[in-house]
């Protein structure tokens, strides 16, 4: 009897010990999980916005968060260094894994980042843009995002943007010499131009900051310290919209197809803002014939073999491009030559014609890409793919009637023609 009850006591003790061990394991796990979200405004896998000025463009393997390790789920198989051949991209609905839009996408990542130039006051307008880019693409890829400003970003801006971006966020303040008048500019002459443009009601004609912005985007964003270790960028502005799912990685598409510059909208530039830009370009072409590509897109820019500029340009508020190309001697020689001529201040040269002319003259035709499947809006123009099936496949929410591509003021038809490309289904009904 005594031996029997001792046995029961032993069973009870074993059971109690077992329960205690289980309780301890579960509880300690919860403590670790909670601790990763104790820094306000941060998300697992992000650096704290208050301290994050470090450079760690990792090609974004950052989807593997602590949480994944603790719950011992299989680690997402993505990041730099994986063999692309093992992870073919789904480019059409017929390709396997086309419909796999949940979770983090397996496969290689490019050394790439989103980049946004913004003021603190742009916070809610850029929040809208980020949310759409994340929902339509980046939540599955977790690429980094670099924010640049001529003033320090405030904590609100950092907190809100970091909470929305799925990759790492970095915040950079632009050096004075990249956001000011170069010494050779005659201040009196530049002032008179602004006054005259104000009278003629030319958009942003009297603005100094807009001119610094255009010069910065033309010549300096790609050589900011935070951008130096990346190979590709995707420019995102406040208040833009993405209307369709992006099923594949456009950075990887650029890399694998040797594309250096891309666009979704093109149009004619306001003549009043660039009266002498083409003269400067012709001077550059004469001084640097070595930088002009043989199979270039001069026919996109000029209807008379280069004598006159037809004002066509790619709209640079959307760009996915190669940073190494912008940092090349060809592009930097081009920018330096234009900058010396002073038109960023004596006129109001925009970064869109500057990038576009450079791409059209110094890249081979097939290094420039039109992303028909990235549907996009920046006031006041929309790129919405023609072709009902494509829009349904991509779950687009744009009104096809808003598509600007085939209207008279767009240059996209010209791009198609000079490249011998077949226009997409439904284009001919959209010409007016
Ligand atoms: N930090 C900073 N960003 C600016 C300034 N002016 C314009 N930007 C940014 O530069 C980009 C182009 O400016 P935006 O006002 O959109 O010009 P628009 O698209 O040509 O009408 C946007 O990303 C703006 O947030 C400025 O003075 N400071
Ligand atoms: Mg804009």
């Amino acid at each position: 009897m005594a031996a029997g009850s001792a046995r029961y006591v032993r069973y009870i003790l074993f059971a109690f010990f077992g329960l205690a061990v289980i309780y301890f394991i579960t509880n300690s796990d919860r403590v670790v999980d909670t601790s990763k979200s104790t820094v306000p405004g941060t998300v697992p896998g992000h650096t704290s916005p208050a301290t994050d000025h470090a450079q760690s463009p990792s090609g974004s393997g950052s989807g593997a968060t602590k949480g994944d390790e603790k719950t011992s789920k299989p680690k997402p198989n993505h990041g730099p260094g994986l063999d692309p051949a093992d992870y073919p991209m789904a480019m059409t609905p017929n390709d396997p894994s086309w419909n796999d839009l949940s979770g983090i996408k397996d496969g290689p990542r490019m050394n790439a980042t989103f980049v946004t130039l913004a003021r603190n006051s742009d916070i809610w307008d850029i929040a809208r843009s980020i949310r759409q880019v994340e929902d339509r693409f980046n939540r599955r890829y977790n690429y980094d995002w670099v924010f640049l400003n001529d003033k320090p970003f405030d904590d609100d801006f950092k907190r809100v943007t970091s909470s929305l971006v799925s990759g790492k966020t970095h915040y950079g303040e632009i050096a004075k010499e990249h956001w000011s008048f170069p010494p050779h500019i005659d201040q009196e002459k530049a002032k008179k131009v602004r006054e005259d443009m104000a009278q003629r009601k030319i958009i942003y004609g009297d603005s100094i900051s807009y001119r610094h912005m255009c010069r910065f985007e033309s010549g300096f964003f790609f050589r900011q310290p935070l951008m130096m270790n990346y190979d590709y960028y995707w420019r995102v502005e406040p208040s833009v919209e993405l209307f369709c799912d992006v099923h594949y990685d456009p950075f990887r598409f650029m890399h694998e197809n040797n594309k250096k510059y891309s666009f979704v909208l093109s149009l004619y530039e306001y003549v009043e803002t660039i009266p002498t830009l083409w003269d400067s370009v012709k001077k550059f072409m004469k001084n640097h014939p070595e930088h002009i590509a043989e199979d270039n897109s001069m026919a996109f820019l000029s209807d008379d073999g280069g004598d006159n500029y037809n004002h066509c340009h790619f709209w640079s508020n959307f760009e996915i491009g190669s940073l190494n190309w912008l940092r090349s001697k060809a592009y930097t020689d081009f920018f330096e030559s234009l900058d010396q001529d002073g038109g960023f201040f004596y006129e109001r040269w925009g970064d869109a014609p500057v990038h576009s002319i450079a791409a059209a003259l110094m890249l081979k035709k097939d290094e420039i890409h039109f992303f028909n499947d990235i549907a996009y809006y920046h006031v006041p123009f929309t790129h919405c793919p023609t072709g009902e099936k494509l829009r349904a496949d991509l779950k687009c929410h744009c009104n096809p009637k808003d598509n600007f591509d085939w209207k008279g003021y767009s240059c996209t038809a010209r791009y198609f023609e000079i490249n011998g490309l077949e226009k997409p289904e439904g284009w001919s009904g959209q010409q007016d």
Side-chain angles (χ1 to χ4, degrees):
M1 186 72 188
S5 66
R7 200 166 65 228
Y8 286 129
V9 169
R10 260 203 317 275
Y11 287 156
I12 291 166
L13 279 175
F14 273 133
F16 187 75
F17 181 70
L19 284 172
V21 169
I22 291 167
Y23 173 81
F24 178 75
I25 292 170
T26 348
N27 204 41
S28 67
D29 226 20
R30 207 175 302 140
V31 170
V32 173
D33 265 1
T34 317
S35 69
K36 63 188 161 79
S37 57
T38 50
V39 182
T42 60
V43 175
H46 289 246
T47 316
S48 161
T51 54
D52 180 16
H53 296 272
Q55 195 160 330
S56 53
S58 57
S60 271
S62 57
T65 64
K66 268 192 171 167
D68 292 330
E69 285 157 22
K70 291 292 168 214
T71 51
S72 71
K73 278 188 206 144
K75 242 180 138 185
N77 203 8
H78 60 83
L82 293 174
D83 185 351
D86 295 336
Y87 302 91
M89 288 200 287
M91 304 298 293
T92 74
N94 303 326
D95 296 332
S97 89
W98 170 263
N99 276 321
D100 175 15
L101 290 181
S102 63
I104 307 292
K105 194 84 177 157
D106 278 354
R109 296 291 188 269
M110 300 297 103
N111 198 11
T113 185
F114 290 92
V115 60
T116 292
L117 174 69
R119 297 152 284 212
N120 287 311
S121 58
D122 291 316
I123 177 169
W124 298 114
D125 293 330
I126 193 60
R128 277 175 49 203
S129 303
I130 295 171
R131 183 72 221 196
Q132 299 204 28
V133 170
E134 287 290 335
D135 287 351
R136 290 299 196 168
F137 168 69
N138 202 40
R139 69 187 165 81
R140 286 171 292 119
Y141 290 86
N142 303 159
Y143 279 106
D144 296 356
W145 206 303
V146 171
F147 296 89
L148 301 170
N149 190 351
D150 56 308
K151 310 234 162 50
F153 279 113
D154 61 31
D155 287 345
D156 273 357
F157 189 98
K158 290 179 187 171
R159 196 179 56 252
V160 169
T161 51
S162 273
S163 74
L164 293 169
V165 175
S166 60
K168 289 187 182 130
T169 48
H170 302 277
Y171 300 87
E173 189 179 340
I174 298 161
K176 259 274 148 310
E177 62 270 25
H178 294 165
W179 195 277
S180 49
F181 293 94
H184 62 271
I185 293 297
D186 174 341
Q187 290 293 336
E188 268 313 301
K189 181 172 163 186
K191 186 161 170 255
K192 284 211 179 78
V193 169
R194 292 194 301 274
E195 287 164 359
D196 172 60
M197 284 197 176
Q199 277 201 336
R200 292 194 285 141
K201 301 216 176 340
I202 292 170
I203 184 166
Y204 302 120
D206 60 345
S207 172
I208 296 178
S209 67
Y210 195 85
R211 286 181 168 80
H212 290 323
M213 182 277 285
C214 290
R215 178 170 176 262
F216 174 80
E217 293 287 22
S218 298
F220 301 110
F221 85 89
F222 48 84
R223 22 185 174 170
Q224 296 304 292
L226 284 173
M227 299 295 289
M228 285 308 285
N229 288 342
Y230 293 102
D231 298 327
Y232 293 94
Y233 70 102
W234 179 334
R235 175 168 163 182
V236 178
E237 285 204 357
S239 297
V240 301
E241 295 195 54
L242 278 195
F243 295 113
C244 303
D245 284 338
V246 181
H247 282 247
Y248 60 89
D249 179 349
F251 292 125
R252 197 176 143 193
F253 175 87
M254 297 287 287
H255 181 69
E256 291 178 3
N257 293 282
N258 197 29
K259 305 287 182 190
K260 305 277 172 54
Y261 190 81
S262 67
F263 71 101
V264 289
L265 284 160
S266 71
L267 68 162
Y268 294 93
E269 180 59 301
Y270 299 116
V271 190
E272 296 86 349
T273 64
I274 50 160
T276 69
L277 174 59
W278 195 248
D279 293 335
S280 276
V281 170
K282 286 204 277 196
K283 184 169 99 185
F284 169 79
M285 288 193 283
K286 197 156 159 260
N287 291 342
H288 289 283
E290 76 279 13
H291 290 330
I292 307 303
E294 256 179 34
D295 184 23
N296 62 43
S297 307
M298 176 63 97
F300 178 73
L301 305 173
S302 173
D303 304 337
D304 54 18
D307 280 350
N308 294 285
Y309 180 34
N310 61 22
H311 308 123
C312 276
H313 65 289
F314 308 119
W315 219 21
S316 62
N317 46 64
F318 170 99
E319 283 176 333
I320 301 176
S322 159
L323 290 161
N324 295 323
W325 170 58
L326 291 173
R327 289 188 286 251
S328 69
K329 179 139 174 50
Y331 185 85
T332 50
D333 279 352
F334 178 72
F335 171 73
E336 303 302 338
S337 171
L338 263 45
D339 197 33
Q340 280 306 313
D341 291 340
F344 291 106
F345 299 102
Y346 299 145
E347 295 176 4
R348 208 224 64 198
W349 295 351
D351 53 283
V354 171
H355 286 186
S356 306
I357 292 171
L361 296 180
M362 298 192 284
L363 295 178
K364 288 187 270 176
K365 265 201 219 133
D366 62 8
E367 291 175 322
I368 302 176
H369 183 65
F370 170 59
F371 274 111
N372 186 42
D373 41 13
I374 301 186
Y376 174 82
Y377 170 79
H378 176 294
V379 64
F381 299 121
T382 298
H383 164 64
C384 182
T386 48
E388 204 168 338
K389 181 168 182 323
L390 179 61
R391 285 196 306 278
D393 288 338
L394 301 177
K395 294 195 167 39
C396 303
H397 70 279
C398 50
N399 181 345
K401 292 203 183 107
D402 294 338
N403 184 32
F404 180 68
D405 298 352
W406 315 112
K407 305 235 161 43
Y409 204 61
S410 165
C411 293
T412 300
R414 188 186 292 268
Y415 169 84
F416 270 67
E417 279 146 25
I418 71 155
N419 286 286
L421 299 172
E422 200 179 314
K423 292 179 188 142
E425 179 210 329
W427 79 277
S428 62
Q430 291 200 333
Q431 285 165 291
D432 37 48

Short mmCIF file of all heavy atoms in Angstrom, two decimals, residues 237-238 317 378, ligand 2:
data_model
loop_
_atom_site.label_atom_id
_atom_site.label_comp_id
_atom_site.label_asym_id
_atom_site.label_seq_id
_atom_site.Cartn_x
_atom_site.Cartn_y
_atom_site.Cartn_z
N GLU A 237 7.83 58.93 -56.59
CA GLU A 237 7.50 60.28 -56.10
C GLU A 237 6.25 60.25 -55.22
O GLU A 237 5.46 59.30 -55.29
CB GLU A 237 7.24 61.21 -57.29
CG GLU A 237 8.50 61.62 -57.99
CD GLU A 237 8.36 62.94 -58.74
OE1 GLU A 237 7.25 63.52 -58.78
OE2 GLU A 237 9.38 63.38 -59.31
N PRO A 238 6.04 61.29 -54.44
CA PRO A 238 4.80 61.39 -53.67
C PRO A 238 3.58 61.39 -54.61
O PRO A 238 3.65 61.89 -55.74
CB PRO A 238 4.92 62.75 -52.96
CG PRO A 238 6.39 63.04 -52.93
CD PRO A 238 6.95 62.42 -54.17
N ASN A 317 9.53 60.94 -63.47
CA ASN A 317 9.05 60.70 -62.10
C ASN A 317 8.89 59.21 -61.84
O ASN A 317 8.90 58.77 -60.71
CB ASN A 317 7.76 61.47 -61.80
CG ASN A 317 6.76 61.33 -62.92
OD1 ASN A 317 6.29 60.25 -63.18
ND2 ASN A 317 6.46 62.45 -63.59
N HIS A 378 0.89 59.67 -62.43
CA HIS A 378 1.44 60.86 -61.78
C HIS A 378 0.67 62.01 -62.41
O HIS A 378 0.57 62.08 -63.64
CB HIS A 378 2.93 60.99 -62.06
CG HIS A 378 3.56 62.23 -61.51
ND1 HIS A 378 3.24 63.50 -61.96
CD2 HIS A 378 4.47 62.42 -60.52
CE1 HIS A 378 3.93 64.40 -61.28
NE2 HIS A 378 4.69 63.77 -60.40
MG1 LIG B 2 5.91 64.91 -58.98
#
